[in-house]
Amino acid sequence: MEKVIRTEKLTFTYSAEEARSFALRKVSLDIEKGTFVAVLGHNGSGKSTFAKHLNGILLPSEGKVYSFGFDTSDPENLINIRRNVGMVFQNPDNQLVATVVEEDVAFAPENMGVPSDEIRSRVDDVLKTVGMEKFKKHAPHMLSGGQKQRIAIAGILAMEPNVLVMDEPTAMLDPVGRKEVMATIHRLNKEKGITVILITHHMDEAAQADRIVVINAGQVTHDGTPREVFAHRKELLDIGLAVPQTVEILDELGLKDVALSVDECCDILEKYLKG
Amino acid sequence: MGEILKLENVSYTYGAGTPFEKTAVKDINLTFNSGDFVAIIGHTGSGKSTLVQHFNALLPPTSGTVYINGEDINQSAATRRAARFACGLVFQYPEYQLFEETVFLDIAYGPKNMGLSEIEVKRRVLAAAEAVGIDALTLEKSPFDLSGGQKRRVAIAGIIAMEPEILVLDEPMAGLDPKGRDEILDMIKNYHDKHKTTIILVTHSMEDAARMANRIVVMCDSSVLLDGTPGEIFARHDLLTKSGLDVPQITSVLIELKNRGYDVDTSVYTIEGAKEQLMKLRGKLC
Amino acid sequence: MLKDITLGQFFPGNTFMHKLDPRVKLVVCFVFIIVLFITENLAAYALAALFIILGVKVSKTSPKMLLKSLKPIMFLVLFTSILNIFYIEGEVLVRFWILKVTKEGLMTAFYMTSRIIMLVCATSLLMYTTSPISLTDALEHLLAPLNKVKFPVHEFSMMMTIAMRFIPTLIEETDKIMAAQKARGADFESGNIFARAKALIPILVPLFVSSFRRADELATAMECRLYQGGEGRTRLNVLKLTKYDYVFMVFSAISFVLMILLNVVGI
């Protein structure tokens, strides 16, 4: 499989005076095209710092990051990298620039110098993709958090990127908004084949990923499928992370299986109840 | 346990008479008893955040009356001010209200506004800092140099230092990771156990509500939809899901088992409760 | 709720006035104001009033809204008229105590008042029918020649856009912080001016801190969306003159020329 992102011994230190010197230490990861990767970690674990390296917002103190084969430390490559690796942040309010939804979505293609009629078709397309086409003439500040975040995603999609890096996109949203956004991201991954890197501390969001990377104190501690990673419940607890309740109940009952959904959990419990 | 806070037919309408008129709370009747730990849950826009701003007279009801200890709190500027101190309200993302040079001064802002003596202010600041787990060294730091979780504790301490009879917290766990959530929840629980202060916790997490409160009020479309013990509330999961709320995953598991014909109690909402039940059921079936 | 206030008082619609190119509206409004100031003639002013009334009709603006926009300037209008009525020398009509009302004074007061009222009406009509974003767009286009003298036209309009985008957000935030500080017993209403100014610190400091945070995050987000200044940028909506614009321009030009002619001939 094609590797879209590769980090080699990525190490990052904030300024020397700061206490939390090593934000990242020798992180080496390959991310394959079309996968849905969840990066888990508690606040301050270094997971957001990691995300910001993927499109060259931060540059490694040591080691290398290659996005689509381009070295992020070469300024010549930045435009190309950012066009391919779109980034959505936590606070939707602080990512929207324009007072009208469609103008905001058009921002990136406008910067890229895309001809007007193509911008129009891109804007209409991506707004449909995130299910916000009815709101294209609305003012962003009148929308709900989940809707604003979907506009932010549309604004990134309008660049037609191959990778979408989401830095805790649901942290400020309520359950309804979270569901809207998660459904949108999954659809993008499945239908458009966009590689998704989701930075989160929500276990149920991570459970739906193809692969989970756990970061603690700037280092990768676990890397595998949700099933593999959640099997280490005790270790995750130690670093301040919880597992989904479907996993927890089975572990409490002394069962070895890992269930990622309510249905799966019930299947296993049925077997358990029947002895 | 006596009645401490009472709402009688409280309604609130934003922007009355403009095209943006919106009724945020509609004809609310609620009574809170002294020492209670109540959770108010509802999805965004259900009116829960508007409702709690009536508890300390930040919003005067468009119609209806709010009483603290039997007194109408909206009689005059003086009663409104007294209500602010009797009912401490911690807003969502309270760390955004920090402004002083040091953590100590920031926590002292509320008590100072109460006109207390310097010695009393100091005593309260130290007590509040201890309650939220802020050490003496941190008290001398600038609040802007702290981590996100610490900032939030400082902000909560700023309200606790007013030593209110009722402590209202609006989504105090918003945006925190699982560890941060647990720490804040434990802190609130400890504070309640120790001081018997009436606590009203606003949240959209059923899990947290179930874990903490002995009573849950569910808000939907500006009105009270359900009001009862956690067990009673979770028994009505059909209504909860319909009003845009999530039941804990473990409750969903039990509901699904029940649908598959197993005799389980679906009002259980903790892992321990579910574990106990499933083990018993297995004993019976095998 | 403060955040529900529509900014720039724009009322979306689909009338002739709404469809006009914002540049055309802006220029016509500007010329109209100039003509108002260089003319002083009853017939010309009647024509100008007709022009405004026609604008109100065509844009389906409620006259009530227009009157509302006049409210804040009523004091200014009254004040200048009174000064004009009593202080301009000329043919005395009425005299009492040390005051006298002159014909010239009355006429000047009338022209001043009509001028200000029509000026406000014309700009309000522009604001009501043009979204803030197309106004900034129009400004960027009209100011484009200034690029030659190194005036940062694009940056200026980007700043305007971002300011408009964030005003509602900041109003909402101010609201929240005020409520939070009130919950801690802050008192913004009593005390002398110093006490009140001091009471603002707990609002201003958090507001500044959060604005810096927002600015920082927004800058990063803009970088991620490939913003590199105005060079090589294209636009989603390209301003293009249509038949409507030509009709409006010709009609306005005729009206303005007529006003000036009436003034010159002096009917």
Side-chain angles (χ1 to χ4, degrees), chain A residues 3 29 157 201 273:
Chain A
K3 312 258 188 284
L29 278 176
L157 288 180
H201 55 237
L273 288 173

Side-chain angles (χ1 to χ4, degrees), chain A residues 10 35 90 98 152 181 207 217-218 264 275:
Chain A
L10 162 59
T35 50
Q90 190 181 102
V181 169
E264 199 187 343

Side-chain angles (χ1 to χ4, degrees), chain A residues 63-96:
Chain A
K64 288 279 181 202
V65 177
Y66 297 98
S67 293
F68 288 89
F70 295 109
D71 182 347
T72 58
S73 60
D74 183 353
E76 297 270 306
N77 292 335
L78 275 188
I79 291 295
N80 233 326
I81 290 172
R82 290 193 179 147
R83 215 191 68 75
N84 275 302
V85 182
M87 183 98 102
V88 176
F89 298 91
Q90 190 181 102
N91 189 337
D93 264 327
N94 298 352
Q95 305 174 60
L96 306 179

Side-chain angles (χ1 to χ4, degrees), chain C residues 10-69:
Chain C
F10 170 56
F11 297 101
N14 206 14
T15 69
F16 176 81
M17 282 290 264
H18 284 87
K19 280 183 201 147
L20 288 174
D21 189 306
R23 289 172 299 179
V24 173
K25 280 190 270 190
L26 204 66
V27 171
V28 165
C29 184
F30 188 66
V31 177
F32 179 70
I33 291 168
I34 293 176
V35 174
L36 274 180
F37 274 87
I38 58 171
T39 52
E40 211 176 80
N41 173 285
L42 263 181
Y45 272 42
L47 192 65
L50 203 70
F51 188 72
I52 296 271
I53 291 168
L54 211 68
V56 174
K57 279 274 167 246
V58 170
S59 66
K60 294 188 181 148
T61 305
S62 89
K64 234 193 200 162
M65 279 307 303
L66 217 52
L67 288 179
K68 238 189 194 167
S69 67

Side-chain angles (χ1 to χ4, degrees), chain B residues 130-195:
Chain B
E130 202 201 322
V132 300
I134 294 287
D135 57 38
L137 205 68
T138 314
L139 281 175
E140 296 314 313
K141 284 190 190 161
S142 158
F144 300 108
D145 289 340
L146 305 181
S147 74
Q150 277 179 314
K151 276 187 199 165
R152 187 159 302 178
R153 286 151 178 279
V154 170
I156 295 176
I159 301 293
I160 287 182
M162 304 194 313
E163 299 189 350
E165 292 172 68
I166 310 163
L167 181 62
V168 185
L169 300 114
D170 192 354
E171 303 272 4
M173 295 83 69
L176 296 179
D177 59 21
K179 198 171 152 208
R181 293 176 78 85
D182 286 348
E183 283 171 5
I184 295 276
L185 285 177
D186 285 346
M187 181 199 99
I188 298 169
K189 189 123 198 159
N190 287 337
Y191 185 77
H192 179 250
D193 291 345
K194 199 166 160 196
H195 298 269

Side-chain angles (χ1 to χ4, degrees), chain B residues 50-95:
Chain B
T50 307
L51 179 69
V52 296
Q53 291 188 49
H54 285 84
F55 296 173
N56 67 347
L58 272 179
L59 292 177
T62 314
S63 67
T65 323
V66 182
Y67 302 94
I68 290 180
N69 290 324
E71 287 267 356
D72 177 356
I73 61 172
N74 285 297
Q75 289 174 53
S76 65
T79 58
R80 273 194 289 274
R81 208 169 153 72
R84 307 267 153 86
F85 302 130
C87 177
L89 173 55
V90 180
F91 274 84
Q92 213 180 117
Y93 296 102
E95 57 273 26

